[in-house]
Amino acid sequence: MTADDLRFKEIEHKFVVEEEFDLAGFRDALGRLNPARTSSHRVRDRYYLTDGGRNGHFVIRHRYDAELHHLTLKTVASDTEVRSEINLDLGQHAGDQRDAVDAFLDHLGVRWSGTLHKDLDVWRFPDVEVVHYRATTDARSVCCVEFEATRKLSLADALAILQRYERATGFADRQRSRLSLLQILFPEVAETLRL
């Protein structure tokens, strides 16, 4: 796969970590790597499964937070290492467009929707974004660390980037999750998609 082939692909490793995860030590390890930017904030993600998504194995996500306002199509599969992710930037200028997104997606046959909140810390580097978060729904919660390649010259290059940061932060020997956050927190959706 070339960089152009990977334009609308997310290449990421997710690790489920314990609530008592050593976040201070993780911050120190990432700080030694000199991130270009760091931030902490709360995110609201609302997921939608439509008729087309059920048949095509994808969900739509509406994300609104202090930095981003996106409508995203994300494929759902048995392994999330490489999957389609297409973001439409709704911009912050109009504020939260939750009602307009709901009305828009209702016309596409919404079969299910669910909301989660994430309290996250983000470290941005020229080639990767590293995130630690606690995600919660009304019924479940999970803590994760994600490494997402933002430079994707090839699949091999992107995976090498992930491995380099995983080694530098003590994650090289950990077992990554093959499930998406949606599958972890909303297992009924995975069942609907027969994953």
Side-chain angles (χ1 to χ4, degrees), residues 109-146:
V110 172
R111 296 293 165 223
W112 172 90
S113 70
T115 302
L116 63 87
H117 292 91
K118 289 197 262 187
D119 293 302
L120 48 85
D121 295 302
V122 183
W123 295 265
R124 290 181 179 85
F125 297 88
D127 52 357
V128 73
E129 181 178 276
V130 181
V131 181
H132 171 271
Y133 60 82
R134 182 172 193 273
T136 58
T137 68
D138 291 338
R140 296 178 182 86
S141 68
V142 67
C143 292
C144 296
V145 168
E146 294 180 358

